[in-house]
């Protein structure tokens, strides 16, 4: 990168944590308000909320929203997706909820996946695709359970379906022909994308420059302090275009280059207004976070800023686990102090604490009392009446 700015602004780990926590809206109890409108506001601010299938406790998309919306209810997300249509599902670094206002930044990816269908979806035949699309056009939205006339095939990997229609629906979804108009657990309802939103066709695709600017804006808004890796998480192909966006903003003095403690040669930048909060004191709020939370999912970044090395051990043999099957990081103030392996016993209506791991500093007697208070609230979220 050309040397556009003078010496970067020194930034300690503590200052970086404050900026990131502020950007993630974890420094106040209800930053987005309440109700379905809060869901749309949270997704718009964060840029995406990851979806995952693991259900040992409440699924991560609900958990991430609950961490920022204390009054959150599952039906609020359903309304945002299916009634208000303010969010939609698509692939970011993983399948995620994304603001509908951002859909045009994904149209180019949809068109690319349609062109590349022969690689990932080579088992989908034109007949399979015509069958599901014709049925949806004629009869309306459907789920895979509504299709009962498939000739079943052998699975090509453990998570695949034996129904050829399932792969056809996935191809049409990733190509932007269909969208997921509703979700119940992991059961998806598919609808024609334009019909779901009341459009005649897809929005115009954003240009490559517009998309790079969008990725940079999204990261600055939700991360505060950014690097190329954090902006382009699992998307290395976007790095050259995003770097050009960074250089342009540095020239316009819209970004500040920072030297983050412990980052060595990895470059970081921040928006000027967020640098102003880096020394602000934080309240001692307690957050029991999902391992897929935006604060945790980029493991190297979490380690750099919080000095916390999260271990996701659900797919490890039991004898190799240190934290437990599904450990949840616990944030108190600006420090991750524990990782709790929790499990919801939905039959008995209890939240089970499998293992308590201390990982941070602090007076553990005081911290335990604070965390146990939050655990009671977390249990009520897991096991509603």
């Amino acid at each position: 990168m050309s040397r556009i700015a003078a010496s970067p602004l020194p930034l300690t780990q503590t200052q970086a944590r404050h900026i990131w926590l502020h950007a993630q809206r974890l420094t106040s109890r209800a930053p987005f308000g309440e109700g379905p409108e809060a869901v749309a506001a949270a997704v718009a601010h964060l840029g995406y909320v990851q979806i995952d299938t693991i259900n040992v406790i409440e699924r991560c998309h609900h958990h991430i929203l609950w961490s920022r919306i204390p009054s959150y209810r599952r039906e609020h997300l359903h309304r945002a997706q299916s009634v208000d249509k303010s969010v939609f599902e698509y692939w970011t670094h993983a399948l995620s909820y994304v603001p509908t206002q951002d859909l045009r930044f994904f149209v180019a990816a949809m068109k690319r996946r349609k062109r590349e269908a022969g690689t990932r979806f080579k088992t989908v035949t034109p007949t399979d695709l015509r069958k599901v699309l014709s049925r949806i056009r004629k009869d309306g939205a459907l789920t895979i359970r509504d299709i009962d006339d498939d000739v079943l095939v052998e699975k090509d990997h453990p998570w695949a379906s034996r129904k050829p229609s399932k792969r056809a629906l996935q191809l049409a979804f990733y190509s932007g022909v269909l969208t997921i108009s509703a979700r119940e657990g992991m059961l998806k309802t598919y609808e024609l994308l334009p019909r779901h939103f009341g459009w005649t066709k897809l929005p115009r695709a954003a240009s490559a420059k517009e998309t790079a600017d969008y990725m940079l804006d999204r990261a600055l808004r939700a991360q505060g302090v950014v690097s190329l890796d954090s902006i382009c998480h699992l998307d290395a192909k976007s790095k050259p275009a995003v770097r050009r966006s960074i250089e342009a903003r540095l020239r316009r003095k819209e970004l500040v280059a920072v030297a983050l403690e412990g980052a060595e040669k990895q470059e970081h930048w921040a928006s000027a207004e967020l640098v102003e909060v880096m020394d602000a004191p934080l309240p001692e709020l307690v957050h029991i976070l999902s391992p897929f939370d935006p604060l945790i999912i980029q493991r190297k970044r979490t380690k750099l800023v919080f000095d916390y090395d999260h271990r996701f051990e659900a797919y490890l043999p039991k004898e190799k686990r240190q934290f437990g099957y599904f450990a949840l990081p616990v944030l108190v103030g600006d420090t991750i102090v524990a990782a709790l392996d929790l499990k919801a016993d939905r039959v008995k209506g209890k939240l089970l604490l499998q293992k308590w791991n201390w990982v941070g500093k602090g007076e553990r007697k005081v911290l335990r009392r604070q965390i146990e208070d939050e655990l009671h609230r977390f249990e009520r979220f897991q096991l509603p009446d």
Side-chain angles (χ1 to χ4, degrees), residues 119-130:
T119 302
R120 181 178 176 187
F121 294 96
K122 59 185 177 183
T123 60
V124 178
T125 69
T127 300
D128 293 334
L129 189 58
R130 282 196 301 269

Side-chain angles (χ1 to χ4, degrees), residues 103-383:
L103 194 147
R104 75 186 190 94
F105 297 106
F106 296 85
V107 172
M110 292 173 179
K111 292 181 177 180
R112 183 179 68 251
R113 289 189 169 101
K114 186 175 183 179
R115 293 193 302 269
E116 298 171 351
T119 302
R120 181 178 176 187
F121 294 96
K122 59 185 177 183
T123 60
V124 178
T125 69
T127 300
D128 293 334
L129 189 58
R130 282 196 301 269
K131 171 188 167 183
V132 297
L133 293 180
S134 295
R135 181 166 175 178
I136 291 173
R137 288 190 183 104
K138 178 183 177 182
D139 301 331
L142 57 72
T143 74
I144 189 61
R145 293 180 185 173
D146 296 320
I147 300 174
D148 56 11
D149 58 349
D150 271 358
V151 177
L152 302 184
V153 298
E154 293 299 321
K155 293 185 178 184
D156 56 6
H157 64 80
W159 293 285
S161 171
R162 295 189 64 200
K163 290 185 175 184
S165 294
K166 178 65 176 293
R167 295 289 283 168
L169 288 168
Q170 290 175 323
L171 169 57
F173 166 74
Y174 282 109
S175 300
V177 178
L178 299 178
T179 193
I180 297 169
S181 60
R183 172 184 287 272
E184 184 177 350
M186 287 295 109
L187 181 65
K188 294 168 268 191
T189 299
Y190 292 90
E191 173 62 292
L192 297 171
L193 188 151
R195 190 163 71 188
H196 172 69
F197 289 110
W199 303 335
T200 57
K201 58 183 179 180
L202 280 173
R204 178 185 63 83
S207 68
K209 180 183 182 304
E210 289 173 330
T211 301
D213 286 339
Y214 160 74
M215 292 177 65
L216 176 55
D217 286 333
R218 183 178 68 183
L220 286 167
R221 186 175 64 244
Q223 299 173 11
V225 179
V226 302
S227 66
L228 270 179
D229 286 343
S230 75
I231 301 165
C232 306
H233 181 50
L234 301 182
D235 186 13
K237 291 181 179 179
S238 295
K239 286 184 177 181
V242 171
R243 181 177 278 277
R244 288 192 291 272
S245 293
I246 292 169
E247 290 178 340
R249 295 196 193 189
L250 285 171
R251 284 192 293 270
R252 297 194 298 266
K253 298 184 179 180
E254 296 171 1
L255 283 183
V256 177
V258 298
L260 178 54
E261 179 185 6
E264 298 178 351
K265 294 183 179 180
Q266 186 183 37
E267 297 170 290
H268 285 82
W269 304 272
S271 57
E273 59 270 22
L274 278 177
V275 169
E276 295 174 3
V277 306
M278 64 187 183
D279 293 317
L282 297 186
E284 285 285 302
L285 297 180
V286 179
H287 293 287
I288 299 170
L289 298 173
S290 166
F292 300 102
D293 193 277
L295 204 73
I296 306 298
I297 193 61
Q298 295 193 36
R299 309 283 190 234
K300 290 182 180 179
R301 176 179 167 88
T302 305
K303 171 65 175 175
L304 172 63
V305 177
F306 283 90
D307 197 24
Y308 167 68
D309 193 7
H310 185 71
R311 297 178 58 89
F312 184 74
E313 301 175 335
Y315 303 122
L316 289 180
K318 186 175 182 179
E319 63 274 10
K320 293 186 177 181
R321 296 175 195 152
Q322 295 181 24
F323 284 0
Y325 179 83
F326 199 69
L328 309 182
V330 181
L331 176 74
V332 179
D334 68 351
T335 306
I336 296 174
V337 300
L340 308 183
D341 184 23
L342 300 175
K343 180 180 180 180
D345 186 333
R346 296 177 177 89
V347 175
K348 295 182 179 179
K350 295 181 178 180
L351 182 66
L352 307 179
L353 176 58
Q354 313 276 70
K355 187 177 182 182
W356 188 304
N357 306 279
W358 288 109
V359 298
K361 300 176 182 178
E363 177 51 57
R364 291 184 177 179
K365 184 177 180 179
V366 174
L367 289 172
R368 181 179 287 271
R369 185 165 59 249
Q370 291 175 287
I371 294 169
E372 287 176 345
D373 287 344
E374 184 65 6
L375 275 171
H376 291 308
R377 194 175 78 88
F378 191 66
E379 183 174 49
R380 291 193 297 272
F381 166 63
Q382 296 297 316
L383 306 163

